Amino acid sequence: MEKTRIGVVGCGMISDIYLTNLTGRFGHAVQVMAVSDLSQDRAAAQAEKYHIPKVMSAQEMIDSPQIDILLNLTTPRVHFEICEKALLGGKHIYTEKPLSLSYAQGKRLLELAEKRGLYIGCATDTFLGAGLQTCRKLIDDGAIGKPLAATAFMMSHGWEGAHQNPDFYYLTGGGPMFDMGPYYISALVSLLGPAKEVAAMTSRGFETRTILCGPRKGQSIPVEVPTHITGTIRFETGAVATVITTFDVWETPLPFLEIYGTQGTIVGPDPNTYQGPVLLRSAVDPTPGQVSMANQYWENSRGLGLTEMALAIKRGEPARAGGRLGLHVLEIMEGFHRSGQDSRFISLESRCERPRAFIEENLI
Ligand SMILES: NC(=O)c1ccc[n+]([C@@H]2O[C@H](COP(=O)([O-])OP(=O)(O)OC[C@H]3O[C@@H](n4cnc5c(N)ncnc54)[C@H](O)[C@@H]3O)[C@@H](O)[C@H]2O)c1
């Protein structure tokens, strides 16, 4: 089978794991043909490290007949611009999250892709990993009966101790909801299906943040977005979820993700990972039992969603980490912010199919 040819735009922090996986474990299906960055040095360094044949500009990639899909690993503010250019230039695109800064922008991208018969895919793809697919299999197999409710907690004190340029985490398009929400909300939609309405209260614990590592250590950066969001989601099935995402909290023993059904409870993994463990407490056996994994993607498998999309294009099937899911997640996240601002429930306009399960027989 011919490999799908990829051009990577953005050679920052997350590019290493993508390039490792795309040139390694997913290298049988995809081939990275070129990398691009505003910093020529950064792009050249990644090209050398991962034996990528070319360094190009994003526009050169769009114009090149040697490239099938652009992988957009730029910062959130640039996502829309790169995706729109790629689609207008006739290229499929897979972008890091969030799909765009606003639902309106995301909708424009989806319309453009659909009009031109192109695929648009969007991270996160951790919901395809072993941990969350094990939860999915338990639900599909009826292990907890009918799912009634869920809780999801992303509790942290932000990224300024781990990222040398954390500015984007605190500007529009960032914050704990737009940055980390996609992992949790994609997981919830994959497990419980599409949502109907959301509500939230939001706050901002700190007016500025101080960078704690790298060459800019000690520099103060502005905070533009809410950094504590406590929200609720009502799904089309009637199930409801409580979701907190925060960059204002130091330590807490709260679980990452739990699903409550008529017959039992699933204690899920951190949705920002591909791994387990997954515990099941059923009405008949309340002792928590660890469940064996439903697929083999428990290591950091970034690039799995893109590779699955590459194969879906060949088969003419919808991609699991597709744009409709990305847009629905974006509307939910924006809905939380709007609800917090306006003190009202937000009905959702977008809808997506619950992505198909991705279990053992779907390995790629
Ligand atoms: N850092 C993480 O741990 C992490 C984890 C998962 C997802 N992500 C997501 O990945 C994306 C990138 O994050 P990052 O941490 O790698 O950011 P980063 O700031 O380290 O890197 C972004 C890179 O994009 C480049 N860039 C910006 N505009 C460009 C353009 N027009 N053309 C070419 N290159 C351009 C920048 O020069 C920079 O090198 C974000 O959407 C983020 O949400 C990051």
Side-chain angles (χ1 to χ4, degrees):
M1 189 172 56
E2 273 193 21
K3 295 182 184 184
T4 302
R5 299 160 305 173
I6 311 292
V8 178
V9 186
C11 291
M13 198 164 151
I14 201 62
S15 66
D16 272 306
I17 185 64
Y18 270 99
L19 290 169
T20 300
N21 289 342
L22 296 177
T23 59
R25 60 197 298 211
F26 301 132
H28 60 286
V30 295
Q31 184 175 8
V32 181
M33 304 297 288
V35 288
S36 170
D37 198 285
L38 294 178
S39 156
Q40 280 289 322
D41 290 351
R42 215 172 289 160
Q46 292 301 63
E48 194 186 334
K49 187 170 168 189
Y50 294 97
H51 310 291
I52 313 295
K54 287 190 180 147
V55 171
M56 291 177 163
S57 70
Q59 193 56 51
E60 282 168 339
M61 286 183 186
I62 293 165
D63 295 338
S64 167
Q66 310 288 321
I67 290 183
D68 304 308
I69 305 178
L70 257 68
L71 170 61
N72 185 6
L73 302 183
T74 61
T75 41
R77 279 177 183 238
V78 195
H79 288 180
F80 175 77
E81 176 195 325
I82 299 285
C83 291
E84 188 187 40
K85 269 193 198 160
L87 293 168
L88 287 171
K91 288 282 188 274
H92 304 295
I93 180 101
Y94 184 95
T95 184
E96 250 303 334
K97 46 75 187 172
L99 180 60
S100 289
L101 292 192
S102 69
Y103 175 62
Q105 281 185 341
K107 214 168 130 181
R108 151 108 182 116
L109 293 179
L110 253 287
E111 282 165 6
L112 198 55
E114 280 169 13
K115 203 159 110 195
R116 298 190 168 225
L118 294 164
Y119 279 63
I120 178 164
C122 183
T124 64
D125 58 8
T126 49
F127 76 91
L128 299 175
L132 291 167
Q133 285 299 316
T134 302
C135 300
R136 168 68 184 257
K137 186 164 181 345
L138 286 172
I139 291 176
D140 290 355
D141 290 350
I144 60 163
K146 179 177 159 48
L148 299 175
T151 51
F153 300 118
M154 195 301 293
M155 314 296 282
S156 102
H157 214 279
W159 292 115
E160 54 271 38
H163 201 294
Q164 300 190 356
N165 295 302
D167 314 59
F168 73 85
Y169 290 114
Y170 298 99
L171 303 176
T172 306
M177 182 50 73
F178 273 59
D179 178 44
M180 295 297 285
Y183 299 104
Y184 288 72
I185 295 165
S186 302
L188 287 169
V189 173
S190 157
L191 297 174
L192 301 174
K196 224 168 94 174
E197 60 181 345
V198 301
M201 288 195 188
T202 63
S203 64
R204 188 163 43 143
F206 305 83
E207 293 297 313
T208 60
R209 297 273 176 155
T210 305
I211 301 177
L212 299 173
C213 63
R216 296 170 62 207
K217 188 173 171 180
Q219 241 183 57
S220 175
I221 53 174
V223 178
E224 241 177 47
V225 285
T227 47
H228 188 95
I229 294 100
T230 170
T232 49
I233 305 176
R234 187 186 306 282
F235 292 86
E236 284 184 6
T237 60
V240 290
T242 306
V243 180
I244 299 182
T245 61
T246 183
F247 283 161
D248 290 353
V249 172
W250 286 114
E251 282 298 327
T252 160
L254 281 173
F256 291 108
L257 178 72
E258 295 190 337
I259 311 289
Y260 314 106
T262 49
Q263 302 295 322
T265 295
I266 297 167
V267 181
D270 177 351
N272 183 23
T273 68
Y274 297 79
Q275 65 200 22
V278 175
L279 302 177
L280 174 66
R281 293 167 190 245
S282 72
V284 281
D285 182 5
T287 332
Q290 194 160 325
V291 184
S292 57
M293 295 286 105
N295 73 29
Q296 64 179 25
Y297 300 103
W298 49 78
E299 284 162 20
N300 187 339
S301 304
R302 284 202 165 74
L304 177 59
L306 166 69
T307 308
E308 197 271 341
M309 182 174 107
L311 295 173
I313 292 172
K314 290 207 158 116
R315 296 179 188 133
E317 290 172 354
R320 287 179 170 87
R324 284 198 168 272
L325 173 63
L327 183 65
H328 193 53
V329 169
L330 178 58
E331 191 186 16
I332 291 172
M333 299 193 301
E334 188 177 275
F336 280 141
H337 280 194
R338 276 174 52 216
S339 171
Q341 213 171 9
D342 303 349
S343 299
R344 64 183 176 92
F345 276 71
I346 305 289
S347 294
L348 301 170
E349 175 188 81
S350 68
R351 198 179 181 282
C352 69
E353 293 303 318
R354 188 177 179 227
R356 285 162 294 137
F358 189 62
I359 48 178
E360 202 62 43
E361 62 259 31
N362 305 123
L363 297 184
I364 55 180

